[in-house]
């Protein structure tokens, strides 16, 4: 049996990445809204780091959700 687990952060990041790509926005654009580097934002989208509630709100606004 395979014990691979997917984290909430990874799933949420994949959804955000998909919506961002549909809107043809760069990671750096969203990172600027959050006041973080593109590399830090990349870790959020990949699920390696968790988004805070404030970051989720700002990303939602930046993507018009």
């Amino acid at each position: 049996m395979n014990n691979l687990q997917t984290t909430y952060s990874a799933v949420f990041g994949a959804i955000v990445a998909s919506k961002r790509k549909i809107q043809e926005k760069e990671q750096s654009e969203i990172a600027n809204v959050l006041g973080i580097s593109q590399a830090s934002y990349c870790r959020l989208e990949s699920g390696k780091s968790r988004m805070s509630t404030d970051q989720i709100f700002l990303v939602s606004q930046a993507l018009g959700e």
Side-chain angles (χ1 to χ4, degrees):
M1 180 180 278
N2 193 343
N3 287 332
L4 292 178
Q5 293 182 354
T6 302
T7 65
Y8 168 81
S9 296
V11 172
F12 185 75
I15 292 168
V16 169
S18 176
K19 290 188 173 287
R20 177 184 56 76
K21 290 173 187 176
I22 288 169
Q23 294 183 18
E24 299 180 352
K25 293 187 177 184
E26 298 291 328
Q27 285 184 336
S28 58
E29 292 178 62
I30 309 300
N32 285 337
V33 171
L34 297 178
I36 60 176
S37 69
Q38 183 274 329
S40 292
Y41 181 76
C42 182
R43 287 191 295 277
L44 293 172
E45 265 193 11
S46 68
K48 293 177 182 171
S49 295
R50 290 184 177 173
M51 286 192 199
S52 69
T53 305
D54 290 339
Q55 288 172 325
I56 292 170
F57 178 76
L58 291 172
V59 167
S60 175
Q61 284 189 320
L63 295 176
E65 296 296 322

